[in-house]
């Protein structure tokens, strides 16, 4: 086995182990239950449940929008707060000074948090749709699964980036709230981009989950939007590269200045 293969397997093992640890740590998390259960149920009832006479394609678009809107909220409040949680519990130093790259540990935890959140949200949405008997479509389930996996990766990359940003401020809750609601309105998830003011039409294009919505909605209707998938992957890659760079700068600053109590 070559050195590259060994390093790849080792990286995958780190990601898997950290993801499992994060999933276990989230059990019984009240915030996760509110975001993953209460919020999607309310949004589905307000959108889909109140308009079951609409065309299935329209209801499917709203359902996907609710799913990704709630995933964004989970990314901000849960994945984005992972480093702050480690700082409070005193485990941050071990995470960033281990033999494995610290960003790999963070990525694994963000993947675990995002995947678990999406699973809980999906179950909540599915149960609510069954109870409301809303006619939604799912013509290309394989492509939809691919879109969901890409959404998990995108949410994890965003979570990494937010974790680094929130670690630098004492006002994490306020910053989280300030980041969350503008995306609810301007992110192209629940509010169609063409309903936004003309000078804001470009803004949703910078949000990867907006392209995830387009891809999933089209896949549910029976078509594959390659443009949406390409934009989703490209923006996710950009988020990840920015997150790795931000993580390196945060840790370097912390080690030099001692501002994050790493020693």
């Amino acid at each position: 086995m070559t050195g590259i293969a060994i390093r790849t397997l080792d990286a995958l093992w780190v990601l898997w182990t950290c993801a499992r640890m994060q999933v276990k740590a989230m059990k019984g998390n009240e915030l996760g239950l509110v975001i993953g259960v209460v919020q999607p149920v309310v949004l589905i009832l307000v959108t889909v449940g109140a308009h079951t006479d609409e065309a299935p394609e329209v209801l499917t678009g709203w359902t996907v929008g609710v799913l990704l809107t709630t995933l964004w909220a989970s990314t901000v409040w849960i994945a984005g707060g992972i480093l702050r949680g480690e700082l409070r519990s005193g485990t941050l130093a071990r995470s960033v000074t281990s033999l494995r790259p610290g960003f790999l540990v963070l990525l694994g935890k963000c993947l675990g948090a995002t995947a678990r959140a999406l699973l809980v949200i999906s179950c909540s949405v599915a149960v609510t749709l069954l109870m409301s008997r809303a006619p939604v479509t799912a013509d290309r389930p394989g492509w939809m699964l691919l879109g969901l996996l890409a959404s998990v990766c995108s949410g994890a990359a965003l979570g990494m980036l937010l974790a680094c940003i929130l670690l630098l401020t004492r006002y994490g809750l306020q910053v989280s709230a300030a980041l969350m609601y503008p995306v609810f309105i301007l992110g192209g998830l629940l509010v169609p981009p063409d309903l936004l003011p003309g000078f804001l039409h470009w803004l949703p294009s910078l949000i990867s989950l907006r392209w995830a919505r387009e891809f999933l909605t089209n896949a549910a209707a029976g078509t594959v939007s390659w443009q949406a998938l390409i934009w989703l992957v490209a923006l996710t890659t950009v988020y990840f590269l920015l997150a790795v760079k931000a993580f390196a700068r945060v840790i370097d600053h912390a080690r030099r200045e001692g501002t994050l109590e790493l020693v």
Side-chain angles (χ1 to χ4, degrees):
M1 187 177 294
T2 65
I4 295 178
I6 293 175
R7 288 193 294 271
T8 301
L9 290 175
D10 183 69
L12 291 175
W13 179 83
V14 172
L15 291 175
W16 171 251
T17 301
C18 293
R20 288 181 58 194
M21 289 174 56
Q22 185 62 30
V23 168
K24 290 181 179 180
M26 291 174 63
K27 288 183 179 179
N29 186 304
E30 296 179 358
L31 179 59
L33 291 176
V34 171
I35 295 176
V37 178
V38 177
Q39 189 175 71
V41 169
V42 171
L43 289 176
I44 286 291
L45 292 177
V46 170
T47 56
V48 177
H51 302 86
T52 53
D53 56 339
E54 292 282 352
E57 293 77 11
V58 175
L59 297 181
T60 301
W62 286 346
T63 300
V64 173
V66 168
L67 186 74
L68 295 177
T69 297
T70 313
L71 181 64
W72 166 249
S74 177
T75 297
V76 171
W77 290 109
I78 299 176
I82 286 177
L83 288 183
R84 291 183 64 86
E86 292 204 358
L87 179 61
R88 289 193 299 269
S89 62
T91 59
L92 180 59
R94 279 176 286 179
S95 295
V96 301
T97 58
S98 63
L99 295 177
R100 273 83 177 188
F103 78 86
L104 204 59
V105 175
L106 176 59
L107 175 59
K109 292 187 175 184
C110 288
L111 282 171
T114 307
R116 182 185 185 277
L118 185 60
L119 179 60
V120 173
I121 295 166
S122 298
C123 291
S124 301
V125 169
V127 170
T128 308
L129 289 175
L130 288 173
M131 294 180 64
S132 63
R133 298 182 180 179
V136 296
T137 60
D139 290 345
R140 296 271 185 114
W143 287 105
M144 292 181 69
L145 179 59
L146 175 64
L148 291 174
L149 291 175
S151 299
V152 169
C153 294
S154 189
L158 278 167
M160 287 182 66
L161 185 57
L162 290 174
C164 295
I165 294 173
L166 297 179
L167 192 63
L168 294 174
T169 176
R170 297 180 180 179
Y171 305 101
L173 294 178
Q174 293 82 353
V175 172
S176 297
L179 289 171
M180 184 173 68
Y181 294 106
V183 174
F184 277 17
I185 301 172
L186 304 175
L189 302 177
L190 285 177
V191 180
D194 55 2
L195 294 182
L196 299 176
F199 65 94
L200 291 176
H201 281 178
W202 59 273
L203 191 57
S205 299
L206 302 179
I207 308 298
S208 62
L209 295 181
R210 170 255 189 270
W211 296 105
R213 182 189 189 279
E214 181 175 328
F215 180 82
L216 288 168
T217 302
N218 284 321
T223 60
V224 178
S225 175
W226 291 105
Q227 179 187 21
L229 182 60
I230 290 171
W231 274 105
L232 173 58
V233 173
L235 287 173
T236 299
T237 303
V238 171
Y239 297 159
F240 176 73
L241 293 176
L242 289 175
V244 171
K245 188 173 183 179
F247 182 81
R249 290 193 176 184
V250 166
I251 299 307
D252 181 64
H253 177 75
R255 285 170 172 164
R256 287 187 289 105
E257 304 295 334
T259 54
L260 299 183
E261 302 174 5
L262 292 178
V263 293

